[in-house]
Amino acid sequence: MQIRDLPHADPGEPDARNGGTLLLWLYRTQLGGQVKALFWGLVHTGAQATFPVPVGLAVQAVVDRSGSRLALAGGLLAVLGVLVALGDTMLHRASVTNWITAVARMQQLLARKATDMGSALTRRVASGEITAVGTGDLEKIGWLVEGVSRFGAAAVTSVGVCVALMLYQPALGLVVAAGAPVLALAVLPLLPHATRRADAQREKAGRATELASDTVAGLRVLRGIGGEDLFLDRYRTASQEQRRAAIRSARMWSLISAVQVALPGLLLVAVVWYGVHLALQGRIAVGELVTVYSAVTFLLFPLRHFEETAMAYSFARPSADRAARVLALARPTGRRITPDGPLTGDLHDPVTGLTAATGRLTAVVCGDPDAAGRLADRLGGHAPDAEPPADGPDEPGAARPDSPSVLLGGTPLDDVPRDTARAAVLVQDKDPTLLSGTLGELLDIPASGRVEAADALAAAQCGDVLAALAQASDDASGDPGTTRITERGRSLSGGQRQRLALARSLVADPEVLVLDEPTSAVDAHTEARIADGLRALRTGRTTVVLTSSPLLLDRADQVVFLRDGVLVAAAPHRELLRTCPAYRSVVTRDTEPPALTGDDRPRPAGTAARTAPIEETA
């Protein structure tokens, strides 16, 4: 795998049982690249480890006044220098390639998981945590992946040097062979403490990132209520906690570094002292002592790799655990079936008893915004993703993870492939997200082609938005389609963002469109025009609007009233105003709703309510 081949055609299915299995899977997926890096690492470190031989040969040649051996030593040094340079260059290329391809693979896996989970992801994992996993944690995982081949080459070469020294000079070689493992393992007792401190630092960094993200996202609101100072003080506190945690972590790593410098220095002193005694006794030659000294000096180089790899693993293992927890998330899914054709027909929710007739505009009144959000998720096939308490769901009408699936034309959405369900049913929640980019890019989405962008913008009453974008356009023609919209549409007002999101949904033109409070941020006059435009543009398509706005309710073919998550009544808006006191109380914002009687008591899911005949309303 080369960098030019990115992104991966298929990032694969990760083993996300825990961080260790994820790291092992990641290593196996790029085994060829790791073997290549190991080979060049052996060339590099092997050439470096061989340097003491020509150095000792040269020193002994000078002592013996042998010009031929001195020339031979010089030739060997030149060859080894070329091998060191070649090996170092190719090792760096191979290792960095492994790093980048591993991080790219993880990024694709996380992006795929975010797409699969949708809005359920941020309900199960904090947004700051997701950001930290996708940035800092992936960098630490890549650091370990990059260092594995260097560590392997250093370990193999170190063992080879120790064996060679024992054969070359058994007395000194035995000292080196006994001391090298001690040096390599000396820091292991310190690593658990360093890991805990590094993990604590990372958690505090994630908390600070989450606070910063929340503060920036709500800055306009905070300024309106004078709360920015409070949030900034919270961020300062979190930032200082992160700084203190970083200092504690750095102290531990500085201690590990000190141990890795001090102990090899002591070994070098011991070898030189013992070697000098052997030379004075005539048991070894001066050139042999220089060779052994050079070999011990070389061992300091792989020991630094051991320290770096230990540090990388200490950081990467907790990061991999967090990434594995995100990648292990999954939606409850049932038996997979493949429909013969596009999904069409009535949309029915067995939990609430709601049925939205095909090709009609159905409005749903819940009275509880949270219940409406849960219902919108269910209608889109987003199954509940948390286990309910043992005695039942927390909220009235909340669905269990094992509750029956929403049916579209009699087909359970939970049982069809995700792409099929998403193509059939599009859900726009009450706080839709606008990605950064131009207006043209915002509306350039998979669509049926039946609805033009201009028609969708007109139906969503985006005329003032287009005028503002045209005024801010860098294009000489003033084309609003080329104007960039900032991240999450922060350069726009709440109503403008809401209307652009509605236009995007209308352009998509799905078979079933579910809108959760699509006009909550606009004035009454604009809302009335949007209601007319929505009804006209969605003619022949199934549309479900969760709202309590009389303007939208009056344009609906059918209004379904839910109370405590159960269908109470279904009829046109004006009919329900006359016959259902509880419905009238919700729509008119009565603070003291009447007790349920007769016709408006909740009925079990799937039980039909008494309704008036459906009639066209003004």
Side-chain angles (χ1 to χ4, degrees):
M1 184 71 185
Q2 299 297 322
I3 296 178
R4 63 175 175 268
D5 299 325
L6 295 176
H8 300 277
D10 179 13
E13 292 296 331
D15 186 348
R17 288 174 294 174
N18 54 60
T21 59
L22 179 61
L23 290 173
L24 186 60
W25 174 85
L26 198 59
Y27 182 84
R28 290 199 305 266
T29 58
Q30 53 176 210
L31 188 59
Q34 291 291 348
V35 170
K36 182 179 179 180
L38 178 62
F39 170 77
W40 289 114
L42 289 174
V43 172
H44 175 59
T45 56
Q48 283 186 319
T50 312
F51 260 105
V53 174
V55 170
L57 182 62
V59 171
Q60 193 63 43
V62 171
V63 172
D64 297 339
R65 299 180 181 276
S66 174
S68 60
R69 281 187 291 164
L70 184 61
L72 176 61
L76 288 176
L77 286 172
V79 172
L80 291 176
V82 172
L83 289 177
V84 167
L86 176 63
D88 191 25
T89 301
M90 299 305 295
L91 171 61
H92 179 76
R93 286 171 58 91
S95 298
V96 171
T97 298
N98 290 337
W99 182 335
I100 293 175
T101 54
V103 171
R105 187 182 301 275
M106 290 296 296
Q107 287 175 333
Q108 287 182 244
L109 289 171
L110 289 171
R112 186 174 70 183
K113 180 59 64 175
T115 302
D116 182 58
M117 296 293 294
S119 60
L121 181 61
T122 53
R123 291 200 297 269
R124 300 177 67 174
V125 183
S127 57
E129 179 76 4
I130 298 171
T131 301
V133 169
T135 54
D137 283 335
L138 293 193
E139 182 180 356
K140 294 178 177 63
I141 292 173
W143 180 20
L144 177 64
V145 170
E146 184 266 348
V148 167
S149 54
R150 297 180 186 273
F151 171 78
V156 171
T157 308
S158 297
V159 172
V161 169
C162 290
V163 172
L165 286 177
M166 291 182 66
L167 296 176
Y168 181 66
Q169 275 296 332
L172 288 176
L174 186 61
V175 173
V176 175
V182 175
L183 299 182
L185 301 176
V187 298
L188 290 184
L190 300 176
L191 287 180
H193 301 285
T195 301
R196 284 195 294 270
R197 293 190 180 186
D199 203 30
Q201 174 197 353
R202 190 261 175 214
E203 289 180 359
K204 294 185 182 299
R207 171 60 178 162
T209 301
E210 185 176 354
L211 275 174
S213 176
D214 291 344
T215 302
V216 172
L219 191 57
R220 179 177 296 179
V221 177
L222 291 174
R223 284 175 175 169
I225 62 175
E228 65 269 26
D229 289 339
L230 174 62
F231 271 76
L232 289 175
D233 287 340
R234 290 180 180 176
Y235 177 75
R236 290 189 189 99
T237 301
S239 179
Q240 290 302 314
E241 291 178 354
Q242 178 190 352
R243 180 184 64 82
R244 287 190 289 269
I247 291 174
R248 293 183 70 247
S249 179
R251 285 173 179 166
M252 182 58 68
W253 288 112
S254 64
L255 176 60
I256 291 176
S257 298
V259 170
Q260 289 286 33
V261 171
L263 292 184
L266 293 176
L267 176 62
L268 189 61
V269 170
V271 169
V272 171
W273 179 82
Y274 186 47
V276 168
H277 278 277
L278 294 179
L280 292 176
Q281 294 172 8
R283 296 171 59 183
I284 63 172
V286 175
E288 294 173 332
L289 177 60
V290 171
T291 299
V292 174
Y293 172 81
S294 301
V296 175
T297 304
F298 161 78
L299 285 178
L300 303 183
F301 173 74
L303 285 174
R304 285 198 297 271
H305 281 302
F306 297 158
E307 174 196 352
E308 179 184 354
T309 304
M311 183 184 299
Y313 180 78
S314 299
F315 278 104
R317 179 55 193 268
S319 295
D321 285 334
R322 287 183 286 267
R325 284 196 293 270
V326 174
L327 294 176
L329 297 176
R331 290 185 179 278
T333 56
R335 176 177 55 89
R336 288 298 184 193
I337 60 177
T338 303
D340 296 332
L343 292 179
T344 58
D346 294 348
L347 183 68
H348 176 67
D349 178 21
V351 174
T352 61
L354 163 68
T355 297
T358 180
R360 311 284 279 178
L361 174 59
T362 303
V364 181
V365 177
C366 294
D368 179 1
D370 293 333
R374 291 193 297 270
L375 176 58
D377 284 342
R378 278 188 51 74
L379 293 178
H382 303 280
D385 46 42
E387 290 296 333
D391 57 349
D394 290 332
E395 303 292 340
R400 289 178 174 272
D402 58 353
S403 59
S405 169
V406 169
L407 307 176
L408 180 57
T411 303
L413 286 182
D414 287 351
D415 288 348
V416 301
R418 182 197 65 198
D419 293 343
T420 303
R422 298 295 178 270
V425 183
L426 173 64
V427 177
Q428 177 182 305
D429 60 28
K430 65 185 65 177
D431 187 21
T433 299
L434 300 182
L435 302 178
S436 60
T438 65
L439 176 62
E441 293 170 342
L442 175 69
L443 300 178
D444 184 16
I445 58 175
S448 67
R450 191 178 73 102
V451 178
E452 297 293 335
D455 296 333
L457 291 168
Q461 298 299 308
C462 295
D464 63 317
V465 184
L466 296 178
L469 292 176
Q471 205 169 27
S473 175
D474 295 332
D475 193 340
S477 62
D479 181 8
T482 62
T483 305
R484 292 196 65 80
I485 299 173
T486 58
E487 181 187 2
R488 294 183 177 271
R490 292 195 178 104
S491 58
L492 305 172
S493 68
Q496 290 174 330
R497 288 196 299 270
Q498 193 173 60
R499 282 177 283 156
L500 280 181
L502 176 59
R504 179 180 58 186
S505 299
L506 293 176
V507 167
D509 189 40
E511 184 65 32
V512 179
L513 176 60
V514 180
L515 303 172
D516 186 5
E517 293 291 355
T519 58
S520 59
V522 301
D523 60 81
H525 294 290
T526 304
E527 186 176 27
R529 291 193 294 268
I530 290 176
D532 292 334
L534 176 64
R535 181 179 177 87
L537 204 60
R538 291 290 298 172
T539 300
R541 297 289 200 184
T542 305
T543 308
V544 180
V545 182
L546 289 89
T547 183
S548 59
S549 166
L551 293 171
L552 285 173
L553 296 172
D554 196 39
R555 269 71 170 182
D557 297 312
Q558 180 90 329
V559 178
V560 175
F561 178 47
L562 304 179
R563 188 152 186 176
D564 294 333
V566 180
L567 186 146
V568 170
H573 167 63
R574 298 185 183 185
E575 181 71 21
L576 287 178
L577 285 177
R578 291 193 300 267
T579 61
C580 184
Y583 172 80
R584 183 169 59 251
S585 174
V586 172
V587 173
T588 59
R589 275 58 168 187
D590 191 345
T591 57
E592 295 183 2
L596 295 178
T597 60
D599 294 341
D600 49 79
R601 286 199 182 98
R603 293 167 172 76
T607 302
R610 284 195 296 167
T611 64
I614 298 176
E615 60 183 23
E616 293 293 334
T617 58

